[in-house]
Amino acid sequence: MADMKQNLTCRQALASAFQALSDEAVKAGWPEGEVALALAELAEEQVIEITAKVIMEGSVHPQLAASSRNS
């Protein structure tokens, strides 16, 4: 339950900056639909990068711990 509340709080904190970014892109001449799609794709890439980082850290840390014990 705490994670959902934290996520909501984070979303609320980012909402105005996100909207401002979207508005600026539309003002610059990009169609609203394209802006929304580009922002969604950028968010997806960020999630993929963070997920990969968590996976790598999870798989690397036990190896580092084992190698430092063997040293």
Side-chain angles (χ1 to χ4, degrees):
M1 183 84 93
D3 287 340
M4 287 181 9
K5 183 174 173 106
Q6 185 173 348
N7 179 270
L8 179 60
T9 303
C10 183
R11 285 180 62 155
Q12 289 170 338
L14 294 173
S16 63
F18 186 85
Q19 187 62 53
L21 177 61
S22 179
D23 292 345
E24 286 299 312
V26 171
K27 279 189 218 173
W30 293 98
E32 191 175 34
E34 258 191 70
V35 171
L37 183 58
L39 290 172
E41 289 171 348
L42 289 168
E44 182 180 19
E45 288 174 14
Q46 180 75 5
V47 169
I48 290 168
E49 286 179 27
I50 291 169
T51 301
K53 189 177 180 183
V54 168
I55 291 169
M56 290 303 295
E57 287 176 358
S59 64
V60 169
H61 285 291
Q63 292 172 353
L64 290 175
S67 67
S68 66
R69 277 186 254 142
N70 294 333
S71 299

